[in-house]
Amino acid sequence: MQDNHCFPENFLWGAATSAYQIEGSPLADGAGPSIWHRFSRMPGRIHDDDTGDMACDHYRRFEDDVRLMKELGLQAYRFSIAWGRVLPEGRGRVNPAGLDFYQRLIDALLEQGIQPFVTLYHWDLPAALDDRGGWLNRDCAAWFADYAQILFRALDDRVQYWATLNEPWVSVDAGYLHGVHAPGHASLAETPLAAHNLLRAHATAVQAYRAEGRHRIGLVVNLEPKYPISLAPEDRAATVRAHAYMNRWYLDPVFFGTYPKVLSELFGADWPNFMQADLDHIRQPVDFLGVNYYTRSVVRDDPQALLVRASRVRQDHNLHTAVDWEVHPQGLVDTLQWVKRRYGDLPLFLTENGAAFEDPEVIGGRVEDPLRLTYLREHLKAAYTAIASGVNLQGYFVWSLLDNLEWCHGYSKRFGIVHVDYATQRRIPKSSGQFYARVIRSRGEALWEEEG
Ligand code: FCB
């Protein structure tokens, strides 16, 4: 496999999106509002007070979007299901029209030979459940598993890849500690509770899947390798804390049934005495792990920094993206190898990787985005290096298929390999998208083509 730089034959080439970021029509056909629908209506929470009301209008244009995926040669499409379309109140009554939207999307994908890779939860908790405490309520795990079971029964005949949660670390860190994402809380005491209930929800859904499902289910986490700025013991200790907080918090319990010890030290009195039975339950075998990788962080000790007492030292000499993430492809190799060393040789998918840059104007129907193209090239080469070193990486999903609503940044940050003109909803594949299509067609060989 290595000689001509081809990726493995069955390697899955895809692109990723999420419901709230692209669909629009949030309340159409009887759907219930989500916490993001609510959050986006609170003045000042999202850049320019943008909302997901229109987004990429994918809810109405999904057939065109699937055709676009086909044109790009995608073999898989990772998307999320909006819980509130299927269960407007989050539990109880099913809304057949909402479920039907995803049935039609999946059928359209399969018709084009594109594998659906379904995320059950990409941050859009039904608002009605938040009214009952949301992720702070222990019952949320059962609500999630009931919702998941409805989807397994309806869709597992056509869906081979299921992911329970997308990036629980972000749900908790941004949503419950810093308050910059929905539901917008900033509470030390709530943070470990929300995390624990998300993990219980993941495990309960995996258990439900074992009873119903015939394919594969896993979890998607965001990992960001941490490197100390110096060899000073304080900086190294800060790096250990940052690494435990961001990278181990949601994996140690899933694979070992334990939380990193340092978390209880960081939270002090706010760290609950979790029941061992919960941790045993959280440790459900998964069929794969989805890793989202964007950047690394170089860390220094910082006694003033909230909770973790560590902060990032910006590496000014290196390229940064429009959201100020350092471009560091080697971190992807390090991360995948670390996962294998620590958690075992399980199938991995790179479920998100990509970059926001200030794209130039559309000229003559073209969008040239060389920085994103190079980002993809370098990270795909890194993925190749990881595979060559023995990591069982089975697929890659670029974030994102389309420019879309980048959460609190609104529409100001563009991650798409396809440009979206939000006024007309016209889609134009960028040069990075065309490049990615060539990479897929050549099973990776085009990564090593002459540049320029
Ligand atoms: C990830 C999210 C995804 C997108 C990218 C840029 O944290 O999962 O929805 O916003 O970042």
Side-chain angles (χ1 to χ4, degrees):
M1 137 200 158
Q2 303 307 332
D3 304 331
N4 51 2
H5 285 120
C6 271
F7 278 64
E9 188 126 25
N10 50 2
F11 192 80
L12 216 49
W13 299 92
T17 63
S18 89
Y20 190 73
Q21 294 179 276
I22 66 162
E23 286 179 355
S25 308
L27 304 182
D29 302 325
S34 73
I35 53 174
W36 272 94
H37 184 75
R38 221 178 234 180
F39 191 68
S40 68
R41 281 167 167 67
M42 300 177 184
R45 293 308 196 113
I46 296 192
H47 178 85
D48 277 348
D49 287 336
D50 285 340
T51 73
D53 289 3
M54 178 58 77
C56 305
D57 200 23
H58 171 80
Y59 188 74
R60 293 188 297 193
R61 296 169 189 264
F62 76 91
E63 283 165 325
D64 292 344
D65 288 338
V66 171
R67 271 193 289 276
L68 181 63
M69 294 177 213
K70 179 70 185 172
E71 277 163 34
L72 291 168
L74 299 187
Q75 300 167 350
Y77 174 51
R78 174 174 177 248
F79 62 95
S80 77
I81 293 186
W83 187 340
R85 288 201 195 279
V86 179
L87 291 157
E89 291 86 33
R91 47 186 213 141
R93 184 179 62 89
V94 174
N95 173 34
L99 186 53
D100 188 55
F101 168 67
Y102 296 106
Q103 309 253 24
R104 285 182 289 130
L105 171 60
I106 287 167
D107 288 342
L109 290 166
L110 291 174
E111 220 163 277
Q112 300 290 357
I114 301 170
Q115 285 286 336
F117 195 114
V118 175
T119 306
L120 293 169
Y121 183 70
H122 202 124
W123 307 352
D124 46 358
L125 187 74
L129 296 184
D130 197 48
D131 292 340
R132 297 172 174 268
W135 292 114
L136 301 172
N137 186 330
R138 263 187 84 79
D139 292 344
C140 210
W143 300 333
F144 178 67
D146 290 347
Y147 152 67
Q149 189 182 57
I150 291 164
L151 298 176
F152 299 152
R153 289 187 177 162
L155 307 174
D156 192 57
D157 58 340
R158 284 158 288 168
V159 173
Q160 298 193 21
Y161 300 93
W162 295 91
T164 52
L165 309 175
N166 177 70
E167 301 189 353
W169 180 83
V170 176
S171 292
V172 175
D173 179 76
Y176 289 88
L177 181 64
H178 293 286
V180 294
H181 279 190
H185 300 193
S187 158
L188 267 181
E190 288 181 4
T191 296
L193 280 178
H196 189 67
N197 287 330
L198 275 156
L199 283 164
R200 290 178 49 248
H202 154 77
T204 313
V206 170
Q207 229 170 24
Y209 191 72
R210 298 299 172 218
E212 310 269 343
R214 291 184 299 117
H215 300 108
R216 305 201 247 175
I217 192 160
L219 171 71
V220 171
V221 292
N222 56 299
L223 299 179
E224 187 181 295
K226 309 289 182 187
Y227 306 88
I229 183 74
S230 82
L231 295 179
E234 302 76 41
D235 291 330
R236 290 166 69 136
T239 306
V240 168
R241 292 194 295 275
H243 177 58
Y245 175 68
M246 188 163 176
N247 299 325
R248 293 173 47 210
W249 189 348
Y250 298 85
L251 292 180
D252 280 15
V254 168
F255 291 98
F256 308 143
T258 56
Y259 283 118
K261 252 211 174 58
V262 69
L263 292 180
S264 59
E265 290 160 27
L266 292 176
F267 281 95
D270 287 318
W271 185 260
N273 202 358
F274 291 119
M275 287 184 281
Q276 188 53 44
D278 281 357
L279 281 150
D280 295 343
H281 168 62
I282 289 169
R283 188 184 186 183
Q284 299 287 326
V286 288
D287 302 316
F288 66 85
L289 182 69
V291 174
N292 295 351
Y293 176 85
Y294 289 94
T295 187
R296 69 155 171 183
S297 117
V298 176
V299 175
R300 74 173 166 88
D301 181 44
D302 178 0
Q304 307 310 317
L306 178 66
L307 188 67
V308 189
R309 306 192 316 275
S311 51
R312 176 179 77 125
V313 185
R314 193 177 191 280
Q315 301 300 292
D316 290 334
H317 53 282
N318 284 340
L319 179 65
H320 286 65
T321 70
V323 288
D324 207 30
W325 294 345
E326 183 189 350
V327 178
H328 188 70
Q330 178 60 36
L332 174 58
V333 183
D334 296 349
T335 296
L336 295 175
Q337 291 177 340
W338 171 74
V339 168
K340 179 179 174 183
R341 268 198 317 278
R342 184 167 178 83
Y343 300 111
D345 191 11
L346 79 162
L348 303 179
F349 289 89
L350 202 44
T351 32
E352 287 181 28
N353 174 245
F357 286 109
E358 304 293 339
D359 291 334
E361 298 285 292
V362 180
I363 299 175
R366 297 174 62 85
V367 180
E368 300 293 337
D369 59 339
L371 293 176
R372 186 175 295 100
L373 189 155
T374 303
Y375 182 99
L376 296 183
R377 184 200 296 274
E378 295 309 318
H379 285 78
L380 278 162
K381 283 184 176 175
Y384 180 84
T385 302
I387 295 172
S389 78
V391 168
N392 186 6
L393 183 68
Q394 301 193 351
Y396 175 93
F397 293 82
V398 61
W399 184 273
S400 179
L401 175 69
L402 303 169
D403 290 335
N404 59 44
L405 179 102
E406 179 47 29
W407 307 112
C408 50
H409 296 291
Y411 298 100
S412 67
K413 304 295 175 198
R414 292 175 177 267
F415 275 89
I417 56 168
V418 173
H419 171 88
V420 176
D421 177 337
Y422 293 113
T424 62
Q425 291 296 341
R426 179 163 175 225
R427 276 85 160 125
I428 301 174
K430 304 178 189 177
S431 54
S432 61
Q434 288 159 357
F435 170 70
Y436 188 48
R438 282 205 304 284
V439 171
I440 298 174
R441 269 201 307 277
S442 66
R443 274 185 38 218
E445 260 186 280
L447 293 170
W448 283 270
E449 274 171 8
E450 289 268 316
E451 292 181 40

